[in-house]
Structures are given as structure tokens and as C-alpha cells.
Amino acid sequence: MSRAGFSARLIAWQRRHGRHDLPWQATRDPYRVWLSEIMLQQTQVATVLGYYERFLQRFPDVAALAAASQDEVLALWSGLGYYSRARHLHRCAQQVLAHHGGAFPRSSAALAELPGIGRSTAAAIAAFCFGERVAILDGNVKRVLTRVLAFDGDLAEAAQERALWNEATALLPAQGIEAYTQGLMDLGATLCLQRAPQCPVCPVHEDCRAARAGEPQRYPVKTRKLRRGTRTSVWLWLSWRERLWLVQRPQRGVWAGLWSLPEFDDEAAFEAARTGWPGTVERLPSFTHVLTHLDWTLQPRRLVLPARTAAARVDAITAAWPAGRWFTREEALVSGLPAPLRKLLLSAT
């Protein structure tokens, strides 16, 4: 394979057939490029578009994002998933303001020192905004390059990942880094697909060793599989005088930092806790929420405390959750909620 020919064909294809109408492409503003890169991690473009526009409306620059509360950021992120990205986004904005005078560093090495910006994301920002000649290696690009090179090293091994980084760096063109970088992304997103690669119309088909061997789906090689778990929990929807009791989840773990319903390990634990409480429990339909590593069955139980219940009695009930507070329904819906809770509140009468 001619390395120069590969990059030239990819650049020519991107300029003629690649994606050019995405809202973060017509700018060299690192704030906007960074925001898009973080949102696009493990999330499809179609999903990101609306979130990206709403974020920019609320937080038009890094200073506005840094000044916001974490609750505000998580509320706008609600439904996009992988909430650690939102927390890192917020911390990163604060560091850019505090340590860099509100201007993003111009090198990929310096960008990678910021919270939530890994090596590939840092390279993408540096390439698109500052023209740095540096390699990216996100999931789509790994798939493209391992197929082009017939790279059969196991990417579950750090040494093999480093080897692929070296190969990616060796392929970089002398000029046109922006189009080349975007071309790799576009190729992985539109043609070099995981399950149905469109090899006959691929612009680098003649360079691709996997395509010539007729086995593109053999790559990339990664033997370590994520072990999925299961969990069942009871959710308590506790209401009093048209307000809802929500608890802020810990800063680590699933839905870290979001406001959610009090949670019990099982029905027995819930029944034991509510002994003597006024009001009648309504069993709402159970559902399973699918996370990256977990299938979580949630069993909502709604309990409306009578309006005449004394405040002291209510305080005694809610004392079990010191990280909680009362919300109106409207306040809850504009707070940082897990997507299934938001859906539950919107669907229930």
C-alpha cells in the first residue's frame, strides 16, 4: 500500500463526498469542536444534533459553561447517557477558565491534560482547530485502519493499541490534516461499517488489505468482552402536597450526580422501610433499562402521603435520605434526571 496514495485518495473523497453540513464543521472555535467531540463519544450524530444546539443556546462559550452549576449541565445532558462526560465537560470548562485564561491550549499534548479529553479527542481538536499534524484513533477510525492495514493485533492489549497508534501516525499526510482526519471519521461512519461494510464503493478499497482478502469483518480484533450484569431495584415515588422527593445520587457509579427516586434492593427492603407510613402504595409497571454494562429492572412504587400529614412526620420519613429534597414536578423536569425517570414523570398522570 502506498501511504501517500492512501491519504491522497481519502482527502479527495472527503472533499467531494464527505460530510460538510454538520454544525461543528464550519468553525475553528475549539469550544464548539470540543463540545461536539465529547458528545459524539459513543453517541450517533443524529442524537447529538439537538443536544449540541441546546447546549450552545444555554452555554455559548466556555465561560458560560464554567459558571453554570453541575445540576444545570446534567439537566441539559439528560437522556444523552454516559453522564461522566457531562461532569468532565463542566470540570474541563472550569479548568480552561482558571488555568488557561479561557482559551483552550493549542497542542494535543496540552489538551489531553484536561479532564475528559483523551488522546484521540485532543488530537481531533488540535487538528481541526489548529492544524496540528497528529493522529486520531476513535472507534470508527480503529475499524478503518485495522482493515486497511489488516492489523490483527488484539486491541484489548495495551501494547497492540500502542502499535496501532504508531501505524496511524505513520499514515499522516504532510498536508491536508483537517480533511484527512474528517475523512477517516466519515469513512468509518458511512461506508466502513461494523456489520455491513460497503467495500465496493470505498475510496480506499484498493489500499485495503482486509477487503482484498475478503474478510473485512475480521477486524478490529478485540478479545476482551464486556461482562453484562443484571440488577433489580424498587423505586419509591414519594409525593406530598404535589411535590416529589428526589435524592441526589453519589458522584460515582451509575447516573452519578443525577437526581433520582429513593432506591431499595428488593421488595422486602421497601416493605420493611415503609411500615407505619400513611398512604397507600400504587404499583406502577416495571421496566428494564439497558445500560452499557447492565440490564436494570426497575419496579416503581408510588406513595402519596396525605396532605394533612404533619411536617414532622414527613421529615421523619425522608430523614433516611439526607441527600434528598422536595421538587415540584416542573422543577424536577428541568433538573438532571436519569432518562427513565424523566420518561416516567412525563408519562404518568
Side-chain angles (χ1 to χ4, degrees):
M1 178 187 72
S2 165
R3 293 179 184 270
F6 167 76
S7 60
R9 280 184 280 275
L10 185 60
I11 289 170
W13 173 80
Q14 199 286 323
R15 287 174 174 165
R16 186 172 181 180
H17 300 291
R19 297 177 296 184
H20 298 279
D21 57 353
L22 299 175
W24 46 83
Q25 290 182 307
T27 180
R28 282 181 172 262
D29 179 355
Y31 173 72
R32 292 176 175 239
V33 173
W34 162 68
L35 178 60
S36 71
E37 288 295 323
I38 299 299
M39 286 187 166
L40 287 165
Q41 292 171 359
Q42 299 174 295
T43 308
Q44 295 182 344
V45 168
T47 302
V48 164
L49 289 171
Y51 283 90
Y52 180 79
E53 294 300 334
R54 287 191 292 274
F55 247 77
L56 287 180
Q57 289 173 9
R58 175 61 185 84
F59 309 120
D61 53 39
V62 71
L65 179 55
S69 68
Q70 179 176 280
D71 274 357
E72 288 180 281
V73 177
L74 289 173
L76 273 180
W77 198 274
S78 183
L80 196 55
Y82 302 99
Y83 291 93
S84 62
R85 293 181 297 172
R87 295 191 300 276
H88 287 144
L89 197 81
H90 191 216
R91 286 180 52 226
C92 183
Q94 292 174 330
Q95 286 201 17
V96 169
L97 204 67
H99 302 301
H100 299 279
F104 280 81
R106 296 179 65 88
S107 73
S108 58
L111 285 163
E113 296 294 322
L114 293 168
I117 300 184
R119 181 176 176 180
S120 188
T121 298
I125 298 167
F128 289 134
C129 299
F130 309 120
E132 182 178 347
R133 185 175 174 272
V134 62
I136 67 167
L137 205 60
D138 64 13
N140 280 341
V141 175
K142 285 179 182 178
R143 186 167 60 252
V144 171
L145 294 185
T146 54
R147 288 173 175 176
V148 167
L149 299 167
F151 183 92
D152 59 2
D154 186 351
L155 296 182
E157 300 174 8
Q160 295 299 329
E161 177 120 349
R162 288 194 298 270
L164 185 59
W165 273 110
N166 292 336
E167 294 281 2
T169 300
L171 285 171
L172 292 173
Q175 295 180 333
I177 188 65
E178 297 92 338
Y180 174 80
T181 301
Q182 187 64 55
L184 285 173
M185 293 178 169
D186 291 351
L187 192 60
T190 62
L191 297 181
C192 194
L193 304 174
Q194 182 176 353
R195 292 184 176 83
Q198 300 178 42
C199 297
V201 295
C202 176
V204 295
H205 180 269
E206 62 185 84
D207 302 294
C208 185
R209 295 172 185 170
R212 288 204 303 270
E215 50 182 13
Q217 289 175 291
R218 177 184 169 189
Y219 305 94
V221 176
K222 191 170 184 178
T223 58
R224 189 182 303 138
K225 302 294 184 182
L226 183 68
R227 293 185 179 180
R228 296 191 59 78
T230 59
R231 183 190 302 178
T232 300
S233 301
V234 172
W235 257 2
L236 171 59
W237 180 338
L238 182 65
S239 298
W240 180 56
R241 297 180 181 175
E242 299 184 351
R243 291 181 297 163
L244 170 69
W245 183 260
L246 296 179
V247 178
Q248 190 167 36
R249 297 182 65 86
Q251 292 299 316
R252 292 184 177 273
V254 177
W255 297 332
L258 299 186
W259 291 93
S260 189
L261 298 176
E263 186 181 307
F264 296 86
D265 289 338
D266 52 38
E267 194 76 27
F270 168 64
E271 290 295 337
R274 79 172 189 93
T275 300
W277 292 359
T280 302
V281 173
E282 177 187 2
R283 292 172 174 263
L284 301 177
S286 300
F287 60 92
T288 298
H289 183 63
V290 179
L291 297 162
T292 306
H293 63 292
L294 179 69
D295 294 331
W296 195 357
T297 298
L298 293 159
Q299 301 171 333
R301 303 290 183 259
R302 183 157 57 182
L303 174 60
V304 180
L305 298 174
R308 65 179 180 277
T309 306
R313 180 75 178 104
V314 174
D315 289 344
I317 292 171
T318 58
W321 305 285
R325 68 179 180 87
W326 292 105
F327 288 75
T328 67
R329 184 173 182 273
E330 291 71 24
E331 288 171 340
L333 288 172
V334 296
S335 301
L337 302 179
L341 177 53
R342 183 177 299 277
K343 183 177 180 180
L344 180 64
L345 293 181
L346 289 171
S347 63
T349 56

